[in-house]
Amino acid sequence: MRIVIAGGHGQIALRLERLLHARGDDVAGIIRTAEQAGDLLTAGAEPVVCDLESASLDELAPHMEGADAAVFAAGAGPGSGVARKDSVDRAACSLFADAAEAAGVRRFIVVSALGARNAPAPRGSASVFAAYLYAKAAADADVQARAGLDWTILRPGQLTNGPGTGLVTLAESTGGGAVTRDDVASVLAALLHEPGTAGQTLELIGGSVPVDKAVASLVA
């Protein structure tokens, strides 16, 4: 498969790129600056410089042509304010989905967040985290409404940097919990090669089921 990943220099994306490259997939990662390219090359991914906060659809869509799948793993990151939660976590996801549709890329996976399920619209002096969850929820809803995409929404719990266990709980509803970034990347890699999970919104935390079995159990 050829897979294009938005937010290609993120912690989950770099892990995913390494997994996909090792599996023999052709991977491209969209990054904001050329300075990030070396880390992608080391991970086995082709770096594509395109700032999703400023790019137009006509600029982005050609980078998606010929791809079999797309993964939105971008995020404004810690230290960013309310405005960038909207411009990256929501608007950039919508732009990436537009580009996938324009390029004929149907398989589309979004890395969301566990708290996006019931995120209310932020009011007044709401926290940056509340704005983040609302932006994720809005991005998810936009993708879920697109008939032109075979989408899967993945909502991981609290992310940690410990070594992956390969054991997870993956379901429509999991309750709260944490999950390693290694295990998130492993689940994404499995979802990419399992089209039967299209149309599902899934929560992910650490658990006791091997990743491959957890993904296979979701296929009707």
Side-chain angles (χ1 to χ4, degrees), residues 114 152-157 167-175 179 183-184 186-188 190-191 194 197 200-219:
L114 194 64
T152 302
I153 308 293
L154 183 66
R155 292 173 169 168
L167 302 172
V168 298
T169 298
L170 180 66
E172 181 179 342
S173 178
T174 61
V179 62
D183 287 332
V184 175
S186 294
V187 169
L188 289 169
L191 290 172
E194 183 42 82
T197 57
Q200 299 189 48
T201 300
L202 304 168
E203 297 183 353
L204 172 66
I205 58 174
S208 59
V209 181
V211 168
D212 288 346
K213 288 186 178 180
V215 171
S217 71
L218 298 168
V219 180

Side-chain angles (χ1 to χ4, degrees), residues 70-135:
V71 179
F72 184 81
S80 58
V82 169
R84 293 202 68 227
K85 300 306 182 189
D86 183 72
S87 63
V88 178
D89 292 285
R90 183 198 61 79
C93 184
S94 294
L95 174 65
F96 195 58
D98 288 341
E101 288 186 313
V105 182
R106 290 198 60 92
R107 190 70 175 113
F108 194 88
I109 297 180
V110 176
V111 182
S112 183
L114 194 64
R117 173 189 284 271
N118 299 309
R123 298 177 180 273
S125 59
S127 70
V128 172
F129 187 65
Y132 162 73
L133 291 178
Y134 181 70

Side-chain angles (χ1 to χ4, degrees), residues 15 30 33 58 79 208 213 219:
R15 288 168 166 83
I30 295 178
T33 67
D58 287 343
S208 59
K213 288 186 178 180
V219 180

